[in-house]
Amino acid sequence: MGHEARQGRRTLLVGFAGALLGVLVTASVLGGENVRRQTAEASDIAYVPLERMTLPIMGASGPQGYVVVAFTLEVPRTRRAWVRDRVPEVRHAVNTAAWQSSLVAENADRLDIEAMRAALLVAARSALGASNVRQVRILTAVPV
């Protein structure tokens, strides 16, 4: 192989390495901006855990069974202490909603976690206001 061929391959490899480095730098700059934006959004979020609750699985004729649920409220960081002080109000709203409707399941054999989460969110927002509860995160849901 001649000197010119080796020089051409070297130039090609250096060019390829430079292009790859450019892509990596661009990705890290753009990715870093995305991470900074997500971190700023996440820094406005706080979580207020609720102790486990035993809720009825209601049927047409009354309770068909029970489920033990542990969940946390996703709230604005500035409202965390305010929400924490009102956890008993949330627990009361959840208990009331559970006994007045089919909060967690159509039958005791199958839990509908998404329906449960939505019902918990409605109950929490009714107690604290929609702007004070962003989301409900179910940690555990165990039928008993």
Side-chain angles (χ1 to χ4, degrees):
M1 182 181 292
H3 178 67
E4 290 178 17
R6 274 186 259 145
Q7 189 67 19
R9 282 203 325 196
R10 234 183 243 140
T11 302
L12 183 62
L13 287 174
V14 168
F16 179 71
L20 183 59
L21 181 63
V23 168
L24 291 175
V25 168
T26 301
S28 68
V29 168
L30 294 177
E33 180 61 33
N34 193 22
V35 168
R36 281 190 292 275
R37 183 173 50 250
Q38 288 174 349
T39 303
E41 291 171 1
S43 67
D44 185 37
I45 296 172
Y47 295 93
V48 177
L50 276 78
E51 291 182 25
R52 288 181 298 210
M53 298 180 69
T54 302
L55 301 174
I57 299 171
M58 298 299 287
S61 62
Q64 303 298 309
Y66 294 87
V67 62
V68 176
V69 180
F71 61 99
T72 186
L73 303 175
E74 182 180 299
V75 301
R77 185 168 298 285
T78 58
R79 301 298 283 174
R80 178 176 39 192
W82 184 86
V83 169
R84 196 176 319 136
D85 291 341
R86 287 161 181 79
V87 164
E89 296 171 31
V90 174
R91 292 176 65 83
H92 175 72
V94 167
N95 271 317
T96 302
W99 282 96
Q100 291 178 353
S101 68
S102 57
L103 176 65
V104 292
E106 292 181 16
N107 61 55
D109 297 335
R110 181 175 217 145
L111 297 176
D112 185 347
I113 297 296
E114 186 55 33
M116 184 187 310
R117 188 202 60 75
L120 293 171
L121 180 61
V122 168
R125 284 181 172 171
S126 73
L128 302 176
S131 63
N132 294 313
V133 181
R134 291 183 177 172
Q135 198 58 258
V136 169
R137 306 283 183 207
I138 295 177
L139 305 175
T140 60
V142 180
V144 291

